[in-house]
Amino acid sequence: MNDNYNIEELAIKFFPYPTPNPGQIEAIVQTIKNIINGDNHIIIEAPTGVGKSVIAATIHKVMRHIKPSFRTTIITATKGLQDQYTEDFNFVTDLKGKQNYPCIQGSDVGPYGSIQCKSKLRSGKCSLDVCPYVKQRAVWCKEADFRITNNAFQIKAPPQLVMLPETKADLIICDESHELDETILDHTKLEFTAKDFVELGNLGKFNSQKMISQLPEIFKGIKFGEAFYPNKEQLQEIKVIYVECETLISEFESLIEEDPKAEGKYAPSIEVLSELSDKLYIIYSSGEECEWIKLEAKDGKLELKAVYASSVSHYGLFRKCEQFVHMSATICGTKEYARALGLKNYSEITIDNTIPVDNRKVIVIAKHSLHKYFKDWDSYFGLMNSVLKKHKNERGLIHTVSFDLANRIKDSLPEDQRERILISNNRKEIMEYIRSRPDAIIASLSIEKGYDFKGDLARFQIIAKIPYGFLGDPHIRLNTERSDAWYARKSILRLVQACGRAVRGVDDYAKTYIMDAQILKLLTNHDTIFPDWFLDSLVILE
């Protein structure tokens, strides 16, 4: 790659807006230099509101100028963030989940890959050539140079979709990457249901169907929620089923080559087998040193999840591209982030928070600690009402950890406050409502990331409760038992993300209220995990 370029001039040339925010051009320039230098992983920690999506888009434009064949994939944790990219940049190609592409034959058919869809394809009543999802996926995979999708697709996609010369990206940018370890764990876990392979029997592969359906039996001696290391015998049995899956895939692909019209008949089974094969290979290739936890095993079902993302990150994601940019406002410790993902060769770039502290104050109202035995709800709701009255003519947000809490808050308030509040997790509904009235309030558990409430879309926000992880989840419980700091960091990541939803640029401003005194425990025991710029913004009212 020719490096005789003035990177700063190119960054300014391709920057999509007249004036960059402080730190944006510097981050773009340094990242591009690191890409040209061959760094495998570049970690950018940039405060909320700096404009990370613009950084990503400009990096692609400059790299495309330097190397005309350059392809960039953005992966995100939420559909909302995908929408934000497509709204801001008309040159990005978007690929969402299958359920977002209704079948042209009617809603009763379901998304691509559903039972009804497979039946239509097998009978010849439908064709992949007209499937909205398959057509968009083909454009995304083979034609688009700047493309965005969800984390799940990039991790779960088989090699032919993202690793062939005509489909592979030169650079993957992971936006909101602070959740990447959890994302990799969630989408490399084995989720097996025997009924998904009934189709093999319909295709005459009864013995194969029977063999694959025995998969849960391999781990029948492991209890629910128990962590374990697979033994040699279990790994060998996994390998046998893996080989059977690969054999069937090859056989079906050969049949399609002989008769292209048979693609509709065999393609859905190939996809199901490919996904299972990938997951089995992860378990087999990770060997006896990778620790797993059993999350389900009944009624022909089996769910296994790696305990640590570093054990499966290479196969799940990092083998699918040579270079990665990780972007987040809440890395909260680069070394811990890199350790969790198993990164060895990485560089880091930090952008200072240039938003004036007075514009982003976080006020801690430490009167109530919302632990599981908390009962003084009348006092808490009264205090919530007082905060809302201070902002009676302004739009705002209430971050709740559940719909139950959102409803309890709304029901407790006087009529004049209740009528302001919409409880929703639907992005379109949320954005339409917040724009519809000057005193609108959104109460939701799903707006702590991937939303941009800039300007007067939100002049205040309330963190109703510290977002601790659910200890009923065996994986969360296991990691918490092994490291209290792990559990604290996960909560801090979510908290800092939520606090950044309302102040989106250097000229923006909003007040944030944290109404749960449990933050004091986090500040006392884990203050080093918080970003310095976040600590600078705190005002604690005892």
Side-chain angles (χ1 to χ4, degrees):
M1 189 182 295
N2 190 336
D3 59 358
N4 294 321
Y5 292 95
N6 186 318
I7 304 301
E8 184 172 354
E9 285 185 3
L10 289 175
I12 294 170
K13 175 183 177 181
F14 288 107
F15 194 82
Y17 300 117
T19 305
N21 288 333
Q24 281 183 317
I25 294 298
E26 292 82 357
I28 292 165
V29 170
Q30 188 57 55
T31 300
I32 291 170
K33 287 181 178 179
N34 290 359
I35 292 170
I36 293 172
N37 190 48
D39 290 8
N40 296 120
H41 297 276
I42 303 148
I43 301 171
I44 302 175
E45 185 163 23
T48 301
V50 163
K52 292 183 287 296
S53 60
V54 180
I55 291 173
T58 308
I59 288 170
H60 169 72
K61 284 285 192 180
V62 173
M63 290 306 304
R64 184 82 172 172
H65 176 82
I66 293 172
K67 181 184 176 183
S69 63
F70 198 86
R71 306 180 76 193
T72 302
T73 295
I74 310 287
I75 61 173
T76 72
T78 65
K79 188 167 68 172
L81 192 52
Q82 283 182 254
D83 290 338
Q84 188 176 317
Y85 269 91
T86 56
E87 289 166 8
D88 291 346
F89 310 110
N90 60 11
F91 53 91
V92 63
T93 300
D94 188 21
L95 179 65
K96 292 188 171 72
K98 301 172 186 177
Q99 68 277 9
N100 293 280
Y101 301 88
C103 178
I104 61 171
Q105 297 206 12
S107 58
D108 59 321
V109 176
Y112 173 72
S114 66
I115 294 174
Q116 297 92 333
C117 170
K118 291 176 183 178
S119 176
K120 293 277 187 182
L121 289 170
R122 188 173 65 249
S123 65
K125 294 180 180 179
C126 195
S127 167
L128 295 179
D129 294 339
V130 298
C131 174
Y133 171 73
V134 173
K135 289 168 66 178
Q136 180 64 13
R137 189 178 69 181
V139 171
W140 189 95
C141 289
K142 296 180 180 180
E143 299 177 23
D145 61 270
F146 185 51
R147 56 195 190 178
I148 186 167
T149 190
N150 54 77
N151 292 331
F153 176 80
Q154 185 66 40
I155 294 169
K156 297 169 75 172
Q160 63 265 33
L161 294 180
V162 294
M163 291 182 67
L164 298 180
E166 64 269 27
T167 61
K168 191 173 184 179
D170 296 281
L171 176 70
I172 292 179
I173 299 179
C174 311
D175 203 346
E176 302 290 15
S177 66
H178 57 280
E179 293 184 331
L180 195 55
D181 59 338
E182 289 298 321
T183 302
I184 288 172
L185 286 169
D186 285 340
H187 297 298
T188 56
K189 68 183 177 184
L190 173 67
E191 294 179 288
F192 175 85
T193 303
K195 68 179 183 180
D196 290 343
F197 297 87
V198 171
E199 184 70 17
L200 295 178
N202 296 332
L203 295 172
K205 301 297 180 181
F206 296 104
N207 290 334
S208 297
Q209 179 191 350
K210 183 177 179 181
M211 178 191 294
I212 292 171
S213 296
Q214 295 302 307
L215 180 58
E217 294 296 308
I218 296 175
F219 301 99
K220 65 181 179 181
I222 310 297
K223 297 178 182 178
F224 170 81
E226 181 179 348
F228 69 97
Y229 294 91
N231 59 41
K232 290 180 180 179
E233 182 179 343
Q234 290 168 329
L235 292 172
Q236 184 57 36
E237 292 183 74
I238 287 288
K239 183 181 179 182
V240 170
I241 297 178
Y242 163 75
V243 170
E244 183 66 19
C245 290
E246 288 294 300
T247 301
L248 287 171
I249 292 168
S250 297
E251 183 177 335
F252 291 154
E253 288 177 340
S254 296
L255 290 170
I256 292 172
E257 287 181 13
E258 293 173 8
D259 180 12
K261 293 182 180 179
E263 184 176 13
K265 181 178 181 180
Y266 296 111
S269 291
I270 289 174
E271 289 206 18
V272 172
L273 287 165
S274 294
E275 186 170 325
L276 176 61
S277 174
D278 261 9
K279 302 297 177 60
L280 294 177
Y281 185 79
I282 291 174
I283 297 173
Y284 172 73
S285 62
S286 300
E288 297 177 71
E289 296 183 358
C290 180
E291 190 176 15
W292 299 82
I293 185 168
K294 187 176 184 179
L295 299 179
E296 186 172 6
K298 59 181 179 180
D299 301 327
K301 296 181 180 180
L302 174 67
E303 184 174 332
L304 302 178
K305 184 176 183 179
V307 173
Y308 300 116
S310 57
S311 303
V312 293
S313 58
H314 173 74
Y315 192 87
L317 180 60
F318 297 142
R319 69 187 176 113
K320 296 178 178 178
C321 190
E322 302 303 320
Q323 293 183 292
F324 291 80
V325 172
H326 308 244
M327 300 195 306
S328 178
T330 51
I331 295 296
C332 292
T334 304
K335 288 184 178 179
E336 174 57 26
Y337 176 85
R339 185 201 64 77
L341 291 171
L343 309 183
K344 293 180 172 59
N345 174 19
Y346 66 89
S347 53
E348 51 186 301
I349 297 169
T350 301
I351 301 176
D352 292 333
N353 195 328
T354 55
I355 300 172
V357 173
D358 286 343
N359 289 17
R360 51 182 172 88
K361 287 290 187 184
V362 178
I363 301 165
V364 178
I365 304 175
K367 185 175 181 180
H368 304 99
S369 183
L370 273 63
H371 49 73
K372 63 180 180 179
Y373 301 112
F374 179 71
K375 294 182 179 180
D376 194 9
W377 290 104
D378 287 345
S379 175
Y380 174 81
F381 293 141
L383 193 56
M384 175 82 68
N385 186 38
S386 297
V387 173
L388 296 179
K389 283 182 177 179
K390 289 181 180 179
H391 301 276
K392 62 181 180 180
N393 297 316
E394 295 176 316
R395 297 182 178 97
L397 315 170
I398 303 176
H399 298 273
T400 64
V401 295
S402 66
F403 280 118
D404 177 66
L405 181 57
N407 282 305
R408 291 184 70 182
I409 290 170
K410 183 174 181 178
D411 291 345
S412 74
L413 296 170
E415 177 62 29
D416 62 329
Q417 300 292 8
R418 283 203 305 272
E419 65 154 8
R420 299 172 63 190
I421 297 175
L422 170 71
I423 298 174
S424 176
N425 66 346
N426 180 283
R427 181 180 178 84
K428 183 179 179 182
E429 184 180 37
I430 286 170
M431 297 312 297
E432 286 179 352
Y433 182 76
I434 200 76
R435 294 184 177 113
S436 70
R437 54 184 294 172
D439 63 346
I441 297 172
I442 302 296
S444 179
L445 68 160
S446 61
I447 54 174
E448 65 187 40
K449 62 184 179 183
Y451 279 83
D452 186 357
F453 296 101
K454 58 189 172 185
D456 64 3
L457 287 181
R459 289 303 183 196
F460 74 97
Q461 59 180 342
I462 297 170
I463 311 296
K465 190 177 189 301
I466 299 299
Y468 284 114
F470 175 52
L471 290 173
D473 181 316
H475 188 267
I476 293 176
R477 185 171 64 247
L478 176 67
N479 278 277
T480 302
E481 289 170 354
R482 294 181 177 182
S483 172
D484 179 59
W486 178 91
Y487 188 61
R489 182 173 179 269
K490 293 297 181 182
S491 301
I492 291 168
L493 290 175
R494 292 179 60 188
L495 175 64
V496 177
Q497 276 289 319
C499 288
R501 292 308 96 200
V503 183
R504 308 298 297 174
V506 291
D507 296 322
D508 204 355
Y509 63 91
K511 285 186 178 179
T512 297
Y513 301 88
I514 298 177
M515 293 188 56
D516 184 356
Q518 289 190 98
I519 188 178
L520 301 181
K521 182 178 178 181
L522 290 174
L523 290 168
T524 300
N525 298 332
H526 305 286
D527 62 309
T528 57
I529 298 177
F530 287 92
D532 289 340
W533 56 262
F534 180 83
L535 295 175
D536 291 342
S537 69
L538 290 176
V539 176
I540 299 175
L541 305 178
E542 296 289 352

